[in-house]
Amino acid sequence: MKELLNNEYQLTGEIGRGRFGVVYRCYSTVSGDSFACKSIDKRLLSDHTDRECLQKEPKILHILGGNPNIVQIHRLYEDDNYLHMIIDLCDSPDLFDRISNRSGVFSETEAASIFSPLMLAISYCHRLGIAHRDIKPDNVLFDSRGELKLADFGSAEWFAMSDAGMMTGIVGTPYYVAPEVLSGREYNEKVDVWSAGVILYIMLAGVPPFYGDSPAETFEAVLRGNLRFPTRIFKSVSPEVKDLLRKMLCKDVSRRLSAEQVLRHPWVVSGGETRSMADLT
């Protein structure tokens, strides 16, 4: 299988590394088009959950194929020791790097230009019965044209196939994980809306809404879910986007917006061009 991979694609250099594998830049020996090759060493998968995630991600990417804001899988190669996925090349800085490298925060129009395609990707996943479950800036990639691509579906789940559309299991990342996940209760796809709300807050404020000095303290802050807008940070942030954040970072899941509802919120529809709240009524 490795020989077939090498015949069809030429690997040219490492561009990323994770717990179980390496991402390489590559190009097709037939078309010359550039791609990324995500190579996973199956010998490093220590438990059933890891192996299940390995098998699940390619299947989910195939289901989600065709969406311009989701990383596409083009070819799959597998042998006893490795799984190689040929996927879209996203060689521009990811959202984590873009946030880290800024001297200041994003303007509302800049934030909206990233947030809107992210929510389009999340909404598309939810319509097909898939929850990502690990929405964070590191998984928000950009290709050479600057197009946003949601990536890394290793923690994703088919909630449409589960009982009453509910899921279990503690997955996600400190700062971004929803409180109902940490509580150990069943939860639905709105965990992705919470995580996207955290990303929006960070883009506007430069700091996360819930944090502590350790992962344990951060989890406690998430569980409390006490959302605040410090005047020093939010004095120039519009009432419209704060209204959206309150409705996304809402502990009561029944009152939290769905992804589709987020896309219909006036702040998103306007592209971050703010108006007075009186104009919204």
Side-chain angles (χ1 to χ4, degrees), residues 3 40 72 75 87-88 92-93 97-98 144-145 159 199 212 220 237 248 261 267:
E3 183 178 346
I40 299 170
Q72 304 293 294
R75 289 281 276 149
I87 57 178
D88 290 340
S92 293
D97 289 334
R98 293 181 182 212
S144 59
R145 299 184 307 277
F159 64 85
I199 289 176
E220 288 174 9
V237 175
M248 295 180 73
Q261 289 171 324
W267 184 84

Side-chain angles (χ1 to χ4, degrees), residues 245-262:
L245 286 167
R246 288 189 189 94
K247 291 172 178 175
M248 295 180 73
L249 298 174
C250 177
K251 276 187 68 177
D252 184 345
V253 180
S254 68
R255 293 172 53 232
R256 187 183 308 161
L257 297 183
S258 68
E260 289 283 350
Q261 289 171 324
V262 170

Side-chain angles (χ1 to χ4, degrees), residues 167-218:
M167 296 166 281
T168 58
I170 297 179
V171 296
T173 302
Y175 298 130
Y176 306 99
V177 65
E180 62 268 27
V181 175
L182 295 177
S183 71
R185 304 193 307 268
E186 290 185 327
Y187 51 85
N188 63 22
E189 72 277 10
K190 287 185 181 180
V191 295
D192 290 344
V193 173
W194 176 282
S195 301
V198 174
I199 289 176
L200 178 57
Y201 187 105
I202 290 173
M203 284 195 290
L204 296 171
V207 294
F210 314 108
Y211 59 91
D213 293 332
S214 67
E217 288 185 10
T218 297

